[in-house]
Amino acid sequence: MRRFLCLLALYALPASAQPNVLLFVADGLRPGVVNEKTAPTLAAFSARGVRFANSHSLFPTFTTANAAALATGHFAGDHGDFSNTIFVGKPIFLPNFGPTVTPFLESDRVLGDVDANFDGNYLNEETILQAARQKGFATAAIGKLGPTLIQDHLARDGQTIVIDDSTGHSGPDEDAGVALPAEIQKKLEEKGLGVAKPRAMPNVAQQADFVRAATEVVLPWFKQRGQTFVMVFWSRDPDGTQHAQTDSLEKLVPGINGPTSLAAIRNADDNFAALLAALKTQGLDADTDVIVTSDHGFSTISKESATSWAATQSFDKVAAGQLTPGFVALDLAHALALPIFDPDKGNAPVKPGATPSRGNGLLGDDPADPEIVVAGNGGSDLIYLPKAKDPAAANALARKIALILSAQDYVSGIFASDDLGPVPGALKFSEIGLKGAAVTPVPALVVNFRSFSTGCDDPTACGVQVADTSLRQGQGMHGSFSRADTRNVMAAAGPSFRSAHVDLAPASNADIGMTIARLLDLDIRHKGGLVGRVLTEAMPNGAEPDFTRGAVSSTPDALGHVTILSFQQVGPTRYFDAAGYPGRTLGLPATLQ
Ligand SMILES: [Zn+2]
């Protein structure tokens, strides 16, 4: 009888009783650094609601790839946002650089142009905010340039309130923000929030303005309208500060665990506290589900290599013997004896002693029709073969590139597009959710870089990785298949979630997208099938799902290198823990079980 009543109570919920949703993203926050001292609000929130102890960022562990997963519930194989910098086939204007085929996606202007190039929607999937506003909910995305607009990148007319670094900026070489509803624009200006402040380290002033916009303008507006709302708040900290900090230049310790990074973690925590307080003040807290995630973890940068040709050359602003920005492009050009051009400098040749300006390279005789494109990103890079039309030629070139990279001590694992056919030493994209319905150009190869820990209690809190970046050794990066980068922070609390619960089942950023869609009862027509799962176990009466652990390995290449992936699985959904060459990736077992 009791069970019957329970069921009745469930079914008796009115269909329109959707909660509000606030998604707070602390960019680049590692779970190992969240405690009562460093981030008291996040620590208390996780203890009060559901803490996802087995959480996952999606590889490549970059911001826009995971922003797209949160926005759509899909893996990168479907949404096609493979990393922050991707090859888009034809030049797109990148503010401060000019036209480039390898744009950085964290730009409102670039996102608009990329959309225009791919039938009006480069993600090829509907986003949750888009579906929510089409259902009549109020929607807003506030915070860091790029991932904020990605949440509803097709609404550039104020249908979704988008407030980011570009809000109020419109100079000729600037990134212009998108339109805001007139009433919101007026209220922001009244409070002196109409023009976003420049970034800083820690990013206190800019984020304080975003918080004020959210708490003093947008939430009261939602409250007044009485609509169900969805708000995404994307905190640039601790990411921006962990990247740029110089607490131990050239040294790996403390690296991203120094005082500057800790101040940025606290800044994000303070922002989160202010948002929770505003929900309470507005009387919205009881009806609002709050979900916290980080797009990816973080690692300290190593620039060491004993095998790289580029590291033996001398470059301006690069310490002698260290890896230079663009080392993958430079090493490949050298090994294949191909000319190299800089896509971010009007396709100018990369002269001896110079580095590609953003780490990207066009290899071949004609930069307008390159044989190889390297998109430099950080803890992993993307390699495209746009000219190879013939599958046999593409396979031969991919094998050649894979073998050159496999000989480098900075590499830990190579992934190859299934379309290439067998590439020894490389795992197929379909093993890691990169083969799907994407409409952007699909890379031929993804190369992952070496990672290790400096030896703290929780190795994911003190990871180190080789990174293709203009940042220096001792600064911070992410993007690799290290568990320090795939392990993110995830928690949830509110009327739809259990209290004081630790969820041990694997969970990912794609799951958060699917879970929000379920909370809001959205009707989304999915094009691709690479989706996350709804985290029902986090909801009252939800059963913890069974999950398994597994590993898969590639065939060996001529040097004996094997790429191994360690994963977990719930039903058909895979969770990627770590991958690479045994002994060269943090969190990857040294041998296959
Ligand atoms: Zn970052």
Side-chain angles (χ1 to χ4, degrees):
M1 188 63 192
R2 199 167 189 170
R3 177 172 286 171
F4 177 69
L5 277 177
C6 252
L7 278 172
L8 204 67
L10 266 177
Y11 284 114
L13 274 174
S16 61
Q18 272 84 45
N20 307 306
V21 174
L22 169 65
L23 173 62
F24 180 82
V25 186
D27 201 306
L29 183 66
R30 293 157 287 157
V33 295
V34 173
N35 58 51
E36 288 92 56
K37 224 174 103 194
T38 55
T41 308
L42 285 162
F45 175 84
S46 304
R48 174 161 63 85
V50 179
R51 181 169 71 86
F52 298 91
N54 187 1
S55 56
H56 293 79
S57 165
L58 294 160
F59 180 78
T61 49
F62 289 105
T63 290
T64 61
N66 278 275
L70 289 164
T72 63
H74 287 253
F75 296 178
D78 279 347
H79 64 57
D81 188 325
F82 292 102
S83 285
N84 289 346
T85 293
I86 60 172
F87 171 64
V88 291
K90 60 180 181 181
I92 274 181
F93 188 88
L94 178 63
N96 301 315
F97 286 91
T100 173
V101 291
T102 49
F104 183 57
L105 296 173
E106 290 182 3
S107 152
D108 291 349
R109 175 169 178 167
V110 167
L111 288 171
D113 290 348
V114 174
D115 274 334
N117 270 9
F118 296 102
D119 268 345
N121 180 4
Y122 85 107
L123 296 180
N124 197 34
E125 297 285 352
E126 199 175 349
T127 71
I128 282 134
L129 255 61
Q130 181 187 352
R133 74 172 149 80
Q134 281 163 356
K135 200 177 172 179
F137 297 158
T139 48
I142 300 172
K144 172 175 167 172
L145 180 63
T148 293
L149 181 59
I150 285 173
Q151 303 309 312
D152 195 357
H153 56 115
L154 305 186
R156 305 177 71 95
D157 52 2
Q159 292 180 72
T160 281
I161 299 167
V162 176
I163 301 171
D164 61 22
D165 305 49
S166 295
T167 297
H169 293 268
S170 58
D173 202 31
E174 282 186 316
D175 195 56
V178 300
L180 286 163
E183 207 181 327
I184 295 288
Q185 180 70 46
K186 189 167 151 267
K187 287 197 159 99
L188 288 173
E189 278 164 16
E190 279 167 12
K191 291 180 183 288
L193 302 168
V195 180
K197 285 195 176 73
R199 299 164 206 166
M201 189 178 74
N203 195 30
V204 174
Q206 188 194 60
Q207 291 182 205
D209 277 5
F210 289 151
V211 167
R212 285 190 59 206
T215 60
E216 296 177 25
V217 177
V218 179
L219 282 175
W221 200 58
F222 286 168
K223 167 80 176 177
Q224 195 189 335
R225 288 158 61 116
Q227 287 164 286
T228 295
F229 70 81
V230 194
M231 179 190 279
V232 178
F233 188 97
W234 202 289
S235 168
R236 180 181 291 280
D237 264 340
D239 177 273
T241 301
Q242 289 173 164
H243 276 302
Q245 55 74 31
T246 54
D247 287 349
S248 63
L249 267 189
E250 296 304 325
K251 296 194 187 73
L252 304 181
V253 179
I256 55 166
N257 288 307
T260 312
S261 297
L262 287 172
I265 291 161
R266 188 54 183 257
N267 184 35
D269 194 70
D270 288 345
N271 288 173
F272 183 55
L275 291 167
L276 292 185
L279 286 177
K280 204 164 204 161
T281 308
Q282 296 290 330
L284 294 165
D285 52 329
D287 302 322
T288 303
D289 286 320
V290 179
I291 300 172
V292 173
T293 192
S294 53
D295 46 351
H296 49 71
F298 228 86
S299 303
T300 299
I301 295 168
S302 163
K303 291 272 181 149
E304 307 288 344
S305 171
T307 59
S308 166
W309 170 81
T312 66
Q313 306 298 298
S314 78
F315 296 96
D316 207 24
K317 294 186 202 151
V318 178
Q322 287 192 355
L323 290 166
T324 179
F327 60 83
V328 169
L330 290 165
D331 281 351
L332 284 178
H334 176 74
L336 294 164
L338 288 173
I340 173 169
F341 302 89
D342 187 341
D344 307 299
K345 239 185 190 173
N347 289 358
V350 178
K351 298 207 177 83
T355 58
S357 52
R358 291 185 50 250
N360 306 313
L362 307 173
L363 279 59
D365 291 325
D366 180 4
D369 188 19
E371 311 265 354
I372 301 168
V373 177
V374 178
N377 272 281
S380 61
D381 280 0
L382 309 177
I383 298 170
Y384 299 79
L385 307 178
K387 207 172 171 178
K389 302 284 183 235
D390 169 309
N395 180 270
L397 184 54
R399 284 174 180 241
K400 218 182 219 183
I401 293 168
L403 205 54
I404 293 166
L405 293 173
S406 167
Q408 299 292 340
D409 59 2
Y410 55 72
V411 169
S412 179
I414 296 170
F415 303 89
S417 167
D418 297 56
D419 300 343
L420 287 169
V423 177
L427 271 180
K428 288 188 188 310
F429 279 6
S430 51
E431 299 281 6
I432 56 168
L434 294 187
K435 181 178 169 54
V439 293
T440 57
V442 176
L445 301 167
V446 181
V447 53
N448 178 54
F449 301 129
R450 185 170 72 94
S451 56
F452 55 95
S453 101
T454 58
C456 55
D457 289 346
D458 172 1
T460 65
C462 61
V464 176
Q465 70 190 225
V466 171
D468 194 353
T469 168
S470 57
L471 295 169
R472 291 170 60 185
Q473 180 156 294
Q475 295 186 290
M477 192 35 88
H478 49 88
S480 82
F481 231 135
S482 157
R483 189 67 181 119
D485 285 0
T486 66
R487 186 167 177 238
N488 63 340
V489 171
M490 282 176 59
S496 308
F497 292 102
R498 298 167 76 160
S499 300
H501 178 70
V502 178
D503 186 354
L504 299 176
S508 82
N509 279 332
D511 295 351
I512 290 185
M514 295 305 279
T515 301
I516 295 174
R518 170 71 65 87
L519 293 175
L520 297 170
D521 195 21
L522 299 177
D523 180 25
I524 296 181
R525 292 171 304 281
H526 297 279
K527 291 186 182 166
L530 295 174
V531 290
R533 73 182 172 93
V534 178
L535 298 165
T536 49
E537 75 272 17
M539 300 169 186
N541 307 316
E544 200 77 8
D546 289 332
F547 63 97
T548 54
R549 290 178 190 272
V552 59
S553 61
S554 73
T555 55
D557 65 17
L559 297 170
H561 282 140
V562 174
T563 300
I564 295 180
L565 164 73
S566 152
F567 66 88
Q568 302 176 58
Q569 192 141 346
V570 177
T573 313
R574 255 196 195 180
Y575 296 85
F576 313 105
D577 290 336
Y581 297 152
R584 283 202 205 166
T585 287
L586 190 163
L588 186 68
T591 52
L592 266 181
Q593 303 300 308

